[in-house]
Amino acid sequence: MTALAAPNRSVLRVELLGSGGYHPTERRHTACVFLPELGLVLDAGTGAFRLHQRAEALTSNRLDVVLTHGHIDHIVGLTYLFWLHRGSEPVETVVHATPETLAAVREHLLAPALFPISPVTRYETLSESLTLASGARLTTFELDHPGGSVGLRIDHDGVSIGYVTDTRPIGEAAIEAIRGVDLLLHEAYFDASQAELAHDSGHCTAAAAARTAVAAGAKRLVMMHFNPRASEADEARALAEAREVFPTAEYGCDGMVMTISR
């Protein structure tokens, strides 16, 4: 008897190249998330230097970099993409962001006096919806953060990912935007004892991230953009607070790889 072929499954890897906020530490570089099958990077924090090690995982010689906002811990890694190659071929780097963020990158971060040779092939304005070269669909929604920030949802072959970082707790419209995602990557900078500081600085506590995951019906919650100056005890306390709301919540760290399949 001939065995039936297994149905085709959509498999998507999500790699945390940088999972912290503000400044790098021995454990966490700042935000950079790599989806190799989609040729996609979410934010270009200090963790972006690892893209040189991971370029061979790309399925083409193009890399789309989507920036949520222009704060330095999310964009400085663009300067690390100089001479990015896949094998012997150069990788085309396409940066997508709001007009304000693109202006900050071009006029300040990549000003000739600071970085005279641009590592960016071209820039594209990020709107509410973007179809990537891979066919994946990316949608954006506004977040509440000083200077502005956008959240992201990625859909590809029945797999969905939400990316919410640098924001105060989100409202109903944003929750609807990430409704039912397979994986929610959500900032969780503080524990509950620092809720007032979280609000004043435009960030979230771990418990707030967990409440968002529950409200949106997310299947998995991985928290990131943690305070780099916090202790291990602080992180354990924040994680415990999140798990009171979303029992399987976890903190991501650099090198973590999540695989989603359908």
Side-chain angles (χ1 to χ4, degrees):
M1 181 181 292
T2 302
L4 294 175
N8 290 331
R9 303 180 70 197
S10 177
V11 178
L12 202 60
R13 283 175 296 165
V14 182
E15 304 182 11
L16 297 186
L17 304 187
S19 57
Y22 188 20
H23 63 72
T25 67
E26 297 297 333
R27 187 180 183 197
R28 292 185 174 101
H29 275 266
T30 65
C32 186
V33 181
F34 182 41
L35 290 79
E37 285 80 14
L38 304 185
L40 176 63
V41 167
L42 309 178
D43 280 331
T46 59
F49 80 93
R50 295 186 168 114
L51 286 165
H52 290 273
Q53 305 161 6
R54 298 294 299 126
E56 291 300 321
L58 291 169
T59 57
S60 74
N61 292 336
R62 170 173 169 150
L63 183 68
D64 287 287
V65 181
V66 177
L67 304 176
T68 58
H69 63 302
H71 288 173
I72 195 70
D73 56 330
H74 290 254
I75 67 171
V76 68
L78 292 176
T79 64
Y80 309 157
L81 300 185
F82 184 69
W83 204 245
L84 183 65
H85 274 61
R86 175 176 172 261
S88 61
E89 296 296 321
V91 174
E92 178 187 28
T93 53
V94 183
V95 174
H96 308 263
T98 64
E100 296 79 10
T101 296
L102 291 182
V105 168
R106 300 176 76 166
E107 297 171 18
H108 301 289
L109 179 70
L110 298 181
L114 295 180
F115 205 87
I117 304 176
S118 177
V120 177
T121 306
R122 70 176 188 273
Y123 301 88
E124 294 188 358
T125 300
L126 183 63
S127 58
E128 292 182 359
S129 181
L130 168 67
T131 300
L132 299 169
S134 62
R137 183 168 179 265
L138 185 145
T139 53
T140 69
F141 47 94
E142 290 187 11
L143 299 177
D144 182 11
H145 188 63
S149 183
V150 296
L152 308 172
R153 177 182 178 128
I154 301 99
D155 289 279
H156 181 68
D157 286 349
V159 173
S160 55
I161 298 165
Y163 181 63
V164 178
T165 185
D166 286 55
T167 183
R168 297 182 178 98
I170 65 177
E172 273 303 315
I175 287 172
E176 285 304 315
I178 56 171
R179 175 73 60 192
V181 291
D182 296 295
L183 170 66
L184 175 59
L185 300 172
H186 197 296
E187 79 132 279
Y189 201 89
F190 295 110
D191 62 51
S193 70
Q194 297 174 302
E196 184 175 350
L197 180 57
H199 180 272
D200 291 346
S201 61
H203 288 288
C204 279
T205 64
R211 287 192 290 270
T212 291
V214 170
K219 297 176 178 64
R220 183 178 180 184
L221 170 63
V222 174
M223 301 180 297
M224 54 182 294
H225 205 274
F226 188 61
N227 181 2
R229 296 181 178 178
S231 67
E232 290 185 9
D234 294 331
E235 182 175 338
R237 182 169 55 254
L239 179 60
E241 291 166 357
R243 285 181 172 173
E244 289 180 2
V245 180
F246 195 100
T248 58
E250 54 195 312
Y251 264 112
C253 59
D254 290 15
M256 185 175 183
V257 179
M258 294 146 280
T259 301
I260 311 169
S261 61
R262 282 289 178 91

